[in-house]
């Protein structure tokens, strides 16, 4: 079950990229290289699915009383999932 800890950390990185993508809508990003912009964009959108999978697996492990992932990491990923789902449902991406 160490894979869940690894995927939780990767999901956190993808969530940070999602946050950068949201903030970049309101900032001027013309001077940032296109390679970095596209990498952040791909990580952000693939992070939604990864975060959904990781959050469900974390909730299942919490229900089974297994604490593989630190609580704060699980809660942060879960909060990012809510943000991503609300943001996607409203069409704000």
């Amino acid at each position: 079950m160490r894979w869940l800890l690894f995927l939780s950390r990767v999901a956190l990185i993808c969530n940070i990229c999602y946050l950068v993508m949201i903030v970049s809508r309101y900032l001027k990003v013309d001077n940032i290289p296109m390679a970095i912009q596209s990498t952040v964009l791909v990580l952000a959108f693939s992070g939604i699915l990864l975060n959904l999978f990781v959050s469900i697996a974390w909730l299942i492990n919490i229900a089974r009383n297994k604490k593989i992932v630190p609580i704060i990491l699980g809660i942060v990923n879960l909060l990012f999932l809510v943000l991503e789902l609300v943001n996607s449902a409203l069409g704000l991406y």
Side-chain angles (χ1 to χ4, degrees), residues 6 11 19-20 38 45 47 49 54-55 59 64 85 87 90 93:
F6 174 73
L19 195 61
V20 168
S38 62
F45 281 119
L49 293 175
V54 166
S55 295
L59 288 173
R64 295 168 135 182
L85 292 177
N87 198 11
L90 295 177
Y93 52 86

Side-chain angles (χ1 to χ4, degrees), residues 16-78:
I16 292 170
C17 288
Y18 190 83
L19 195 61
V20 168
M21 183 189 71
I22 290 174
V23 170
S24 70
R25 288 186 297 180
Y26 304 108
L27 300 176
K28 189 174 182 180
V29 293
D30 295 336
N31 56 355
I32 298 175
M34 188 58 73
I36 294 174
Q37 290 179 14
S38 62
T39 302
V40 168
L41 187 69
V42 167
L43 283 175
F45 281 119
S46 63
I48 296 172
L49 293 175
L50 178 64
N51 195 15
L52 180 66
F53 171 73
V54 166
S55 295
I56 290 171
W58 179 72
L59 288 173
I60 290 171
N61 280 328
I62 288 296
R64 295 168 135 182
N65 291 328
K66 294 183 180 178
K67 299 205 169 133
I68 298 164
V69 177
I71 297 294
I72 190 72
L73 180 59
I75 291 172
V76 168
N77 280 338
L78 199 60

